Amino acid sequence: MGRYILSEFSPTVSKQFERIITSSKAIADYLKVPHYSLESLTQNIVRRQGMGIASALLSRRLLQDAVSEVIDNKDFEGIARAFLTTIKDLLRSGIDLTKLQQHPSSRIQDLGKLGLVYQGNLRQIKRIDSAELYWQGVQSVQYQQVYLFYGYLAPGNDELAVINAIAGQGSILVLPSTDLYPQNHQARQWLQSQGWSVVANSFEAIPQLNHQLQQCFTEKSSLPSGVRLNVFPDLEAEVRGVLTQVKVLLNQGIATQDIVLVTKDEQLYGDMLRDLAWEHNLPVQVSYEITLEQTRLGAWLKLLLEVIRDNFPFETTARLLSHPLSNCMSLSIWSAARQTHPQGLNAWQKLGVDLSLLDWQDCDQRSAWIDYILNIMSIWDVLENARFYAQEIMAYYRLNSGLGELSYNPEQKLTKAQFIAEIQDILTLLTIPAQPGRGGVELHCPSSLHGTAYPYVFVLGVAEGILPTAIADNSVLDFHDRKQLAQQGLKLSTAVDLAQQETFDFYCLLNVPTQSIVFSYPELIAQNTILPSPYLSRLGLKPSPVDNLPVTSVEQARQLYLRQSVLTKSTQAPSFYKSALPELGSGTRDGRGGVTLTPAISDSLLIPEIRQKWEVETRRESATAPDQYDGIINLSIDPQSRVFSASQLTQLGQCPFKWFSARLLKLKELEEAESELSAAARGVLYHRCLELCLSEIKTAADLSRFKPQQLAQAFAIAEQELQLTQLPGWNAQRQEHLKLIALNLSSAEFLPADREVIATETKFTMDWHGLQVRGQVDRIDRTPTGLSVIDYKTSGTIPAGVKDDTGKANLDLQLAVYQDAIANQYPTEVIDTTVYFSLTQQKNIIRPQKNSQELEVFADQVKSHLEQGYYPVAPDIDRKACRYCDYDLVCRQGDRLRRKNIDLG
């Protein structure tokens, strides 16, 4: 009895073996045997010899130590990260690293020395790198057994060596022979030199789609039936199209285990596949792994480290406390935090949030740092909060094991920054399954399906750069270096080897389908144009139309239903609901291609609610007249029952909906602490400071005697009253505002020599054209020709008024109201001028004299709005009312106003 090599394999042969070694779980499931891989077998052999396999995290750390010893550069982490892949390639190849030290290139000499020191560091703690597992296994094998090796269709030299070492008499290795991959011819020759025999197939393969496809790929024969190519506009359309075809098969009674999804880039397609599969109510299972950084726990830990590193900044700390895995932010605390924007530990403690647990020392032992993390996760019940997410539970235990791996040198002193860097390495290096669990239509990479068979195969991303993968040169040991090493007998993978491997993988993939295979690719990925794979042209494939795919998603069906040209309020739904939800069979067909839904099904699909919302949005964006969703509430208000300010009237006169949102709906943004002085607060500060100053200033002569100390005292009183000292960085800002007020007091135009201040902050209430108006005038001066009414403005431009008869916001209302109010209070005086005084530019801004007739018309319009309940979205033509509006999310002003033909005038 000997050891045998087969080119092809019948699954019935597997029943003769107790130990079957498969390269992936998908292959084991195909053979209906437990999954036992060559890697796990070799790991057990090595562990029995007292050696462990270093994790990715430990490998990175030990390589950094080796870099610090070998290479004269302070960036140990960066160099280790750049060299790690190359070092693993060298270890996997089995090259004698001492020979690299004899190479004329100093860079390659350093590589050899670095690899040897790294291996030495591993051996000191009885570890090996995962890349040298098979070579170590060869040295550790003590006995051989009978195995069937299946799925290793393109084995590397290290895999061949360990297979040869552990395979006893009677073992079989399935190793196809094809000119597409010459390396397998070399592998056969080497195995034959080790006593293996090549055995011809004892069974005749039944011609099927897979064999015909492979023949078409190698010999340019005609394409068999059952092969299609679908081209989609983008990635989402491709995934939707494929899932639609999968659901059609499932609705036809095809079992999920008879369908497989394949892509070379599982990370690119995985998340979208899972999301859209949920929408299509499809069971889809992905098998790739993600880093801890991509989990909720990883995001939580990154926030935690950022909070500790940056000393409890407001936004990051708030995000940490409100994270689902923390759940420490109550509504009352969040409301208080928004209003104060706490910065630093003490500020958060004042809000009642105890974060002393995160007040870490700057330098401590590694074991103490690890205990800090574990203690936080325990006290904050992170595992309990993650109980609803299987992925997060796995991430939690993987993180714990990663923290254990960090403790290889527990007494080492680390700064806070160094420990944070180590945790960040954990998050980027350690992985967990992207989707724990089993069942459903599976997504695999091509190599994990070598040797399997599925009736229906869908291959996604058959595009250049994805399948085949773009071959990238190694910056540390490029293809030219590898070619030179090969000439010296030091064999490493070259560009040709990698290209042949890609082609052979695709060739093996063609052996998987037995009834149908659908290739697809998107024309765009993230705005980048995608070219088809060269393998498609080699097969002679042409795109098939995909316009007639049925609707298999409830969400898509709803969209199509709502977009029908005739939408009634009956419970009629088109027939595509039938393919979207098979359970709609309880409805009855109406003879017009539709399905009459029972009220229960209609309600379960939320059709009435969706129809109502759809109709609201349709009317809102259509040319129909404004309705209640545009401020036409048709609820009458007695104009005499409201008391207006001049600013309220201006707001209503610029856009009725703006006043409606603010005054009737009482919409407002949540209170938020200001990081700097807002425009409104700035105006209040200036007004109050000038009011205090003018209590001692009546004439220009008084102003000339006014001292800077008096201004400083008035400014201090104003800032205390307004609590401005609590603003972050206020001490740096206040001097600028103080100087601006001083500049106004020194301006000749602020208080001319022929004037006298007779009143400041004068309050009034009056009937103005049938409207109750209340307000406050900033200043009244007496001049030789009468009284001058002055209103301070912090801006340097003329403020917008209400809309005039042309629709422009040019009709000044505020000064007109103030003029009438002061005329009522001073009936014997002549109102000479009414002006705005710009505190920014220290000069008067004079508006045109009031137009009493236009103002009276405006007052009638206001009364009409109130009596009719009519507050449409109708800003001025220049949209000045929209520049500082808080209600843009509810009014949706824009082109739709022209469609509605709203009179902006």
Side-chain angles (χ1 to χ4, degrees):
M1 182 177 288
R3 299 183 295 179
Y4 308 103
I5 303 171
L6 297 180
S7 294
E8 293 192 40
F9 172 74
S10 172
T12 56
V13 178
S14 63
K15 299 177 182 179
Q16 306 171 20
F17 290 84
E18 293 184 4
R19 302 299 299 274
I20 301 177
I21 310 301
T22 53
S23 60
S24 72
K25 188 177 181 305
I27 298 174
D29 291 343
Y30 168 66
L31 297 178
K32 296 181 174 58
V33 297
H35 177 44
Y36 200 53
S37 67
L38 186 62
E39 180 181 14
S40 59
L41 175 62
T42 311
Q43 286 175 350
N44 290 337
I45 293 172
V46 169
R47 288 192 179 108
R48 283 196 291 267
Q49 299 302 311
M51 301 295 288
I53 293 84
S55 67
L57 178 64
L58 184 58
S59 296
R60 175 77 67 83
R61 292 296 168 196
L62 295 178
L63 184 58
Q64 288 178 11
D65 294 341
V67 169
S68 65
E69 182 179 341
V70 174
I71 298 178
D72 184 18
N73 193 305
K74 294 183 179 180
D75 186 15
F76 306 143
E77 295 182 7
I79 294 177
R81 192 179 301 111
F83 277 47
L84 183 61
T85 301
T86 306
I87 293 295
K88 285 184 173 291
D89 284 346
L90 292 172
L91 295 177
R92 190 175 293 109
S93 69
I95 289 176
D96 185 353
L97 298 178
T98 58
K99 293 184 178 180
L100 293 181
Q101 295 181 292
Q102 303 168 10
H103 195 277
S105 169
S106 59
R107 176 167 48 83
I108 295 179
Q109 291 176 17
D110 287 343
L111 264 177
K113 186 176 180 181
L114 181 62
L116 289 170
V117 173
Y118 171 58
Q119 277 188 317
N121 292 343
L122 287 167
R123 299 303 184 267
Q124 288 179 9
I125 57 173
K126 295 186 177 181
R127 295 288 191 277
I128 63 171
D129 189 276
S130 58
E132 55 178 341
L133 171 64
Y134 294 133
W135 297 115
Q136 187 68 31
V138 171
Q139 301 173 21
S140 305
V141 172
Q142 295 181 336
Y143 56 90
Q144 296 178 324
Q145 283 187 284
V146 180
Y147 296 106
L148 167 63
F149 301 95
Y150 190 65
Y152 298 92
L153 306 189
N157 290 337
D158 54 344
E159 291 174 312
L160 285 172
V162 77
I163 287 173
N164 179 62
I166 65 176
Q169 297 297 310
S171 296
I172 292 178
L173 168 64
V174 179
L175 186 64
S177 176
T178 172
D179 293 337
L180 289 175
Y181 196 60
Q183 290 85 339
N184 274 3
H185 294 306
Q186 300 168 12
R188 284 187 170 215
Q189 293 172 3
W190 181 82
L191 288 172
Q192 285 177 306
S193 70
Q194 301 297 313
W196 291 71
S197 302
V198 177
V199 178
N201 294 330
S202 58
F203 61 92
E204 183 178 352
I206 302 174
Q208 286 184 308
L209 171 67
N210 48 7
H211 300 107
Q212 296 171 0
L213 261 178
Q214 287 186 319
Q215 186 177 11
C216 176
F217 188 71
T218 56
E219 301 177 10
K220 304 292 184 181
S221 61
S222 59
L223 199 66
S225 60
V227 184
R228 299 197 314 274
L229 169 62
N230 295 158
V231 181
F232 296 91
D234 54 42
L235 192 68
E236 181 179 344
E238 180 189 10
V239 174
R240 284 188 181 278
V242 169
L243 291 179
T244 294
Q245 296 176 70
V246 169
K247 190 163 186 179
V248 169
L249 291 175
L250 294 178
N251 287 345
Q252 292 173 355
I254 305 299
T256 57
Q257 61 266 28
D258 291 335
I259 306 171
V260 68
L261 306 174
V262 187
T263 182
K264 194 68 180 290
D265 196 336
E266 294 176 283
Q267 289 277 354
L268 176 64
Y269 281 91
D271 285 346
M272 186 171 291
L273 265 171
R274 286 191 293 164
D275 291 343
L276 295 181
W278 173 86
E279 178 186 319
H280 285 73
N281 195 26
L282 272 176
V284 169
Q285 184 71 36
V286 302
S287 57
Y288 64 94
E289 297 210 336
I290 59 174
T291 64
L292 291 183
E293 189 176 30
Q294 297 172 270
T295 64
R296 288 184 179 88
L297 181 66
W300 173 85
L301 191 53
K302 288 178 69 175
L303 285 173
L304 176 71
L305 298 176
E306 191 175 339
V307 166
I308 294 169
R309 183 195 66 197
D310 297 340
N311 191 27
F312 307 92
F314 164 67
E315 290 188 6
T316 310
T317 307
R319 288 167 57 201
L320 172 66
L321 295 176
S322 58
H323 192 281
L325 298 187
S326 300
N327 198 22
C328 298
M329 181 77 82
S330 66
L331 289 176
S332 59
I333 292 176
W334 175 229
S335 177
R338 285 181 64 96
Q339 295 177 39
T340 59
H341 280 208
Q343 304 282 343
L345 178 61
N346 291 334
W348 281 100
Q349 299 281 58
K350 290 178 181 178
L351 293 181
V353 183
D354 185 8
L355 296 178
S356 57
L357 194 65
L358 310 187
D359 189 18
W360 291 1
Q361 302 176 21
D362 188 48
C363 189
D364 212 330
Q365 292 182 342
R366 187 191 302 273
S367 58
W369 289 121
I370 294 173
D371 288 341
Y372 287 150
I373 292 285
L374 294 174
N375 194 31
I376 292 170
M377 292 196 298
S378 174
I379 292 177
W380 282 12
D381 291 329
V382 171
L383 181 59
E384 175 66 16
N385 293 332
R387 68 188 184 277
F388 299 112
Y389 315 103
Q391 184 184 82
E392 302 309 315
I393 294 174
M394 294 190 68
Y396 179 88
Y397 288 112
R398 187 68 184 96
L399 174 62
N400 274 265
S401 66
L403 292 171
E405 293 168 10
L406 277 183
S407 59
Y408 67 95
N409 189 359
E411 297 181 358
Q412 181 185 5
K413 287 275 190 177
L414 296 175
T415 65
K416 186 189 299 183
Q418 288 173 329
F419 180 69
I420 288 175
E422 290 197 348
I423 297 298
Q424 288 172 338
D425 281 346
I426 286 181
L427 296 179
T428 56
L429 292 175
L430 301 186
T431 62
I432 62 168
Q435 187 182 14
R438 300 187 64 182
V441 179
E442 297 181 350
L443 172 71
H444 290 286
C445 65
S447 59
S448 66
L449 297 177
H450 283 175
T452 64
Y454 286 84
Y456 302 94
V457 178
F458 294 87
V459 188
L460 297 89
V462 190
E464 192 173 293
I466 300 178
L467 184 67
T469 304
I471 297 175
D473 210 345
N474 188 306
S475 59
V476 178
L477 198 63
D478 60 27
F479 291 130
H480 178 72
D481 293 329
R482 294 170 184 245
K483 186 176 180 180
Q484 288 184 327
L485 290 173
Q487 293 172 354
Q488 301 172 24
L490 305 177
K491 178 65 175 174
L492 287 169
S493 296
T494 65
V496 173
D497 293 333
L498 295 176
Q500 290 175 338
Q501 174 78 60
E502 287 283 326
T503 304
F504 182 65
D505 280 348
F506 184 76
Y507 174 78
C508 293
L509 174 62
L510 297 179
N511 194 43
V512 174
T514 59
Q515 294 188 37
S516 169
I517 182 169
V518 178
F519 299 97
S520 64
Y521 70 89
E523 294 179 308
L524 285 176
I525 296 180
Q527 306 304 315
N528 296 319
T529 302
I530 303 301
L531 298 176
S533 169
Y535 297 152
L536 296 176
S537 59
R538 186 165 176 174
L539 285 171
L541 262 175
K542 301 296 182 183
S544 302
V546 290
D547 297 334
N548 57 348
L549 291 177
V551 176
T552 57
S553 158
V554 171
E555 283 70 21
Q556 286 180 301
R558 286 170 175 157
Q559 292 175 17
L560 291 173
Y561 177 40
L562 293 170
R563 289 171 181 167
Q564 291 181 106
S565 57
V566 178
L567 185 63
T568 66
K569 294 186 178 180
S570 67
T571 55
Q572 298 295 322
S575 57
F576 47 69
Y577 262 116
K578 181 71 175 178
S579 57
L581 280 183
E583 56 267 29
L584 293 183
S586 56
T588 59
R589 294 192 175 276
D590 60 7
R592 294 175 297 173
V595 174
T596 301
L597 303 181
T598 65
I601 294 178
S602 178
D603 291 343
S604 68
L605 294 176
L606 304 178
I607 291 176
E609 293 86 348
I610 293 173
R611 177 191 291 113
Q612 190 268 340
K613 291 177 173 59
W614 174 262
E615 290 175 347
V616 168
E617 291 303 311
T618 301
R619 288 197 305 269
R620 190 197 298 270
E621 296 297 328
S622 71
T624 59
D627 57 14
Q628 65 268 34
Y629 298 99
D630 275 310
I632 314 304
I633 60 174
N634 298 319
L635 296 176
S636 178
I637 297 176
D638 182 4
Q640 289 293 322
S641 67
R642 304 284 305 185
V643 178
F644 296 90
S645 66
S647 59
Q648 280 191 48
L649 289 174
T650 300
Q651 189 179 56
L652 202 157
Q654 291 177 347
C655 177
F657 189 84
K658 187 175 183 179
W659 180 85
F660 169 69
S661 300
R663 303 300 170 177
L664 294 187
L665 296 182
K666 299 187 183 301
L667 302 180
K668 63 178 181 178
E669 295 182 341
L670 294 174
E671 292 187 26
E672 187 84 29
E674 299 285 352
S675 58
E676 59 184 19
L677 196 63
S678 66
R682 178 169 171 246
V684 174
L685 170 65
Y686 289 2
H687 279 65
R688 179 56 178 154
C689 186
L690 289 174
E691 179 186 7
L692 293 170
C693 292
L694 291 178
S695 65
E696 303 180 26
I697 299 172
K698 302 302 179 186
T699 64
D702 296 337
L703 183 58
S704 65
R705 293 190 295 269
F706 195 73
K707 298 178 181 180
Q709 295 87 342
Q710 293 173 284
L711 171 60
Q713 184 179 5
F715 189 88
I717 294 172
E719 69 178 344
Q720 289 295 332
E721 289 178 353
L722 301 174
Q723 299 181 342
L724 299 180
T725 54
Q726 298 180 9
L727 279 176
W730 172 244
N731 289 336
Q733 300 178 44
R734 72 185 302 276
Q735 196 61 33
E736 177 185 350
H737 301 295
L738 184 59
K739 286 181 179 180
L740 182 58
I741 296 176
L743 193 61
N744 278 278
L745 293 178
S746 64
S747 168
E749 197 166 349
F750 181 76
L751 183 57
D754 59 348
R755 293 196 175 200
E756 178 188 2
V757 178
I758 64 171
T760 60
E761 303 302 328
T762 303
K763 297 181 179 179
F764 66 86
T765 301
M766 68 170 180
D767 182 289
W768 186 78
H769 297 290
L771 299 172
Q772 298 301 309
V773 181
R774 180 171 55 202
Q776 184 169 295
V777 177
D778 293 338
R779 193 173 113 199
I780 304 172
D781 289 357
R782 187 182 300 281
T783 72
T785 56
L787 300 183
S788 178
V789 178
I790 301 171
D791 187 68
Y792 299 133
K793 294 297 180 186
T794 53
S795 66
T797 59
I798 297 175
V802 300
K803 292 183 291 185
D804 58 18
D805 53 7
T806 67
K808 293 183 176 292
N810 289 336
L811 180 59
D812 185 80
L813 173 72
Q814 187 172 10
L815 289 182
V817 170
Y818 287 179
Q819 180 177 347
D820 291 344
I822 299 306
N824 288 340
Q825 291 197 7
Y826 295 87
T828 61
E829 299 281 357
V830 176
I831 308 301
D832 181 42
T833 57
T834 54
V835 298
Y836 296 114
F837 185 84
S838 170
L839 298 174
T840 304
Q841 297 187 358
Q842 300 88 50
K843 67 177 184 179
N844 289 326
I845 302 175
I846 302 176
R847 291 294 302 256
Q849 292 299 313
K850 70 173 185 177
N851 187 318
S852 300
Q853 184 177 358
E854 284 191 88
L855 291 173
E856 188 173 350
V857 171
F858 167 72
D860 290 338
Q861 289 176 349
V862 170
K863 287 181 279 188
S864 176
H865 283 308
L866 295 172
E867 291 168 349
Q868 297 180 30
Y870 184 75
Y871 313 103
V873 181
D876 59 283
I877 288 178
D878 300 323
R879 306 290 171 91
K880 291 181 180 180
C882 304
R883 293 177 186 173
Y884 303 103
C885 182
D886 296 330
Y887 313 106
D888 54 328
L889 294 179
V890 290
C891 84
R892 305 187 195 179
Q893 57 90 13
D895 291 340
R896 74 185 193 90
L897 299 185
R898 294 189 179 88
R899 290 195 293 273
K900 288 186 175 297
N901 195 28
I902 291 179
D903 182 9
L904 302 185

